Amino acid sequence: MAETLSRIEAIPASYPDAPGGLTAAAAALDSDMIWQRIEAYVAHRWTARAVVWTVEGGGDWQPDLTPATVSAVEVWQDHDWTAVTLNASPLGGYVLDGDGPYRFTVSVGSVDVPAAVSEAFRRLAEYMAEVEKHPGVSAFKSTVGPITLEQNRVPSWLARAMQFSGAGDLLRPYRRT
């Protein structure tokens, strides 16, 4: 069975622009940070970058990021990487005939950001901007005249921002499988 030994993903030159309609507080957040959180959560990339996978063992293998365009496949042979042509797999990847290791040089990323992903960005940014009003606080109380606002926050609020904001639901079609 083919096993991925490593994946080295380059940092893109830039990320897509933040979607419109953000509040001032959400727009003030670093949009690259929001994109990095989204991309860590999904298997899709929206800006081009190079990725190199090293894979070992026989069997079927395909990149775990999409969209992917393979530019070179090499096998480690006689103490050097040697270009090799592999057969296509019925699953959409490649059939690795030997143990390898194999090195795949791939370009991943597309330029079109779907509306659902833009909305996920907006939800995540707005959630993070809202909780930034009281950074590091798990509970607070505010009283103005007869009105009292109490809010308790789960201690893992920032780590769970993808779920708590609702962005994760919108990103389900782009998740790793």
Side-chain angles (χ1 to χ4, degrees), residues 137-141 150-155:
V137 176
S138 62
F140 65 91
K141 181 177 181 179
E150 272 188 73
Q151 186 171 2
N152 291 311
R153 194 179 300 143
V154 178

Side-chain angles (χ1 to χ4, degrees), residues 30 150 171:
D30 180 9
E150 272 188 73
L171 295 172

Side-chain angles (χ1 to χ4, degrees), residues 88-104:
S89 161
L91 303 175
Y94 296 92
V95 176
L96 308 181
D97 296 324
D99 289 335
Y102 296 88
R103 181 169 67 182
F104 292 82

Side-chain angles (χ1 to χ4, degrees), residues 69-160:
T69 304
V70 176
S71 59
V73 180
E74 301 163 300
V75 64
W76 186 255
Q77 207 169 42
D78 299 324
H79 307 289
D80 200 8
W81 290 109
T82 305
V84 64
T85 302
L86 298 175
N87 291 320
S89 161
L91 303 175
Y94 296 92
V95 176
L96 308 181
D97 296 324
D99 289 335
Y102 296 88
R103 181 169 67 182
F104 292 82
T105 303
V106 181
S107 174
V108 299
S110 66
V111 294
D112 297 328
V113 178
V117 175
S118 291
E119 176 61 14
F121 181 104
R122 189 193 64 72
R123 287 183 185 187
L124 185 58
E126 294 295 347
Y127 177 81
M128 293 176 78
E130 178 63 29
V131 296
E132 283 298 314
K133 291 179 183 176
H134 305 282
V137 176
S138 62
F140 65 91
K141 181 177 181 179
S142 180
T143 303
V144 177
I147 299 171
T148 299
L149 171 66
E150 272 188 73
Q151 186 171 2
N152 291 311
R153 194 179 300 143
V154 178
S156 62
W157 63 269
L158 188 55
R160 303 279 318 268

